[in-house]
Amino acid sequence: VMVAIIGTGEVAVERAINVIKENNETELNLYRCCIREKGAERISSFLKQNTKIEALYLSRNEIGDEGVNYLSEVIRINSSIRMLSLSLNKITDKGVQYLTEVIKTNTSVKEIDLQWNEITNDGAQMLLSSLKHNFSITALNLEGNSRISKTISSQIKLKLQFNEGLKLFEFGSVSFSRPKLYFCGKEGSGKTTLRKSLQRTYWQTWFVT
């Protein structure tokens, strides 16, 4: 269930927090509530104790780079968040840097929306480098960041497609019943070994410089 809050600034943030405390909501929508950096800090503080929210829709809030920094701290410790929408938030390469440090080790976030911010090739390259260590993110929207080259965009898209393909192994969509995979005498462990091998091969093929 998504919570849509009417109001702006601190009032909107506190209303959202109260609703979440009273219900079992899994999505928080503060679209265009003008919460800015301070609101992002308050939400981050709350989400450090809350493990119900799976999706954060915070577009058009002018949270800026420091707002992303607060949210990145939450993502580092909160494994319930799957989707993060941060479009139209005046985020620059500095904000991207905060986010990429977390992406390298995070395995819970699947989708990130960074449309129409102020990200350049430098920020996109940082995202691409962090994806080298991340095989969970399958959607990363950078549309509207006009200073990102088509070359880097294509490389990011290719990596996301690869991550999407790996989900077949994660969720058992590929059947190994005929024949079964064995590794070190244990049935099925070859599945994980094969996935890891594909990860290494992918980066050796496409992104080793």
Side-chain angles (χ1 to χ4, degrees):
V1 178
M2 179 186 291
V3 181
I5 301 299
I6 299 175
T8 60
E10 295 180 32
V11 173
V13 172
E14 293 305 322
R15 283 178 179 173
I17 290 175
N18 288 334
V19 169
I20 293 170
K21 286 180 177 179
E22 295 171 2
N23 301 277
N24 291 319
E25 314 293 354
T26 59
E27 298 184 359
L28 171 60
N29 186 354
L30 280 168
Y31 174 80
R32 206 171 188 173
C33 286
C34 205
I35 68 171
R36 297 192 172 88
E37 176 187 328
K38 188 173 182 180
E41 181 181 12
R42 178 69 179 98
I43 291 172
S44 300
S45 177
F46 170 67
L47 290 178
K48 287 179 180 179
Q49 285 79 42
N50 179 282
T51 57
K52 299 286 186 181
I53 297 297
E54 298 178 0
L56 289 174
Y57 297 92
L58 302 177
S59 297
R60 284 184 178 270
N61 274 296
E62 300 182 9
I63 67 171
D65 296 330
E66 291 308 311
V68 175
N69 189 20
Y70 289 125
L71 294 173
S72 296
E73 292 176 4
V74 172
I75 296 172
R76 192 185 303 276
I77 61 175
N78 187 327
S79 60
S80 68
I81 299 172
R82 302 285 185 268
M83 195 279 181
L84 187 61
S85 179
L86 299 175
S87 62
L88 292 155
N89 267 304
K90 298 183 178 180
I91 299 168
T92 71
D93 295 340
K94 182 179 179 181
V96 170
Q97 185 175 6
Y98 293 136
L99 195 58
T100 54
E101 289 302 314
V102 179
I103 289 175
K104 290 178 182 178
T105 56
N106 181 276
T107 59
S108 57
V109 175
K110 311 300 180 186
E111 302 177 42
I112 301 176
D113 180 6
L114 292 170
Q115 295 181 83
W116 302 98
N117 280 293
E118 301 170 13
I119 302 168
T120 72
N121 259 354
D122 291 339
Q125 186 61 58
M126 285 188 283
L127 286 166
L128 180 60
S129 297
S130 67
L131 286 173
K132 177 179 179 180
H133 308 278
N134 183 295
F135 296 90
S136 302
I137 295 176
T138 56
L140 174 58
N141 196 334
L142 293 168
E143 182 181 351
N145 292 280
S146 59
R147 288 182 286 176
I148 298 177
S149 71
K150 291 183 179 179
T151 300
I152 295 181
S153 295
S154 296
Q155 289 182 322
I156 291 175
K157 182 178 180 180
L158 187 63
K159 179 57 170 67
L160 296 173
Q161 290 174 340
F162 183 78
N163 283 3
E164 181 69 27
L166 283 178
K167 287 169 62 178
L168 296 174
F169 296 95
E170 293 287 354
F171 296 106
S173 299
V174 175
S175 174
F176 296 104
S177 58
R178 294 188 299 273
K180 295 180 179 179
L181 277 186
Y182 289 82
F183 187 74
C184 295
K186 295 182 179 180
E187 179 183 339
S189 59
K191 180 178 175 181
T192 300
T193 302
L194 177 59
R195 176 169 56 81
K196 290 181 178 179
S197 177
L198 285 170
Q199 292 171 357
R200 290 193 297 269
T201 301
Y202 177 85
W203 281 101
Q204 289 169 357
T205 302
W206 292 100
F207 296 107
V208 171
T209 58

